[in-house]
Amino acid sequence: MISNEEYNKLLELQFDSKSNISANKIISGTILKISDLQVTVDIGYKSEGQIPKEEFINTGHSDDLKTGQKVEVFIEKLEDKEGNIKVSHEKAIKMKSWEKLQKIFDNKERVKGFIVGKAKAGLYVKIMGTNAFLPLSQIDVRPVRDVSHLIKTEETFEILKMDYSKGNIVVSRKAILEDKQKEIKKQILEKSKNDSVVSGKVKTFTDYGAFVDLG
């Protein structure tokens, strides 16, 4: 796997011009042909790049593909065993997404993501075309037994961990819900200072009283 240091160097090169085409760069190409299995892209080199159409499906860019369209590609090799240039659209999107996500992580900002499916110990989340992991312990403020209602929904997350060398991003939905609870609690306490009457829902009765949900 590529190290964080190597990744940063690649990002510095990503906007270099076509006139100096070399491996490990992100450049803009033009779609020449679209078939059921692959997309042919011209990047101004002696040979054209062939990209599996599946890559555009994985990045969510397959519906609006058309000839003459500009797309970003990552140059993996200038010549493979057959002498053809090897390029990837999915890797280009992933690298640029990682750059944006790294800034969000460093600035402790929040980001929206789409929950795409279940994992053994959590949920898979798609953020800016990049895969992330939502652990069971970070789904909600309370233990959740059934997570099916969250599949195929868009949620807001806080990024807890990023490791490009391992392709690892860990996010939390729980942190967002905790902040919302704190805000609600603050509002309720502000109202109580003025002897305000607030509505609540009785959740549980005990021998010594009742638990009331105030939101």
Side-chain angles (χ1 to χ4, degrees), residues 2 12 20 43 60 78 91 101 119 137 150 176 185 201:
I2 189 171
E12 292 175 1
N20 189 24
I43 63 166
L78 286 180
K91 286 187 178 180
L101 289 172
S137 62
L150 292 172
I176 307 300
K185 182 179 179 181
K201 184 177 181 181

Side-chain angles (χ1 to χ4, degrees), residues 162-178:
M162 287 189 68
D163 188 337
Y164 185 85
S165 62
K166 296 180 180 179
N168 187 19
I169 300 178
V170 179
V171 297
S172 172
R173 177 175 176 266
K174 178 181 177 180
I176 307 300
L177 297 177
E178 285 177 337

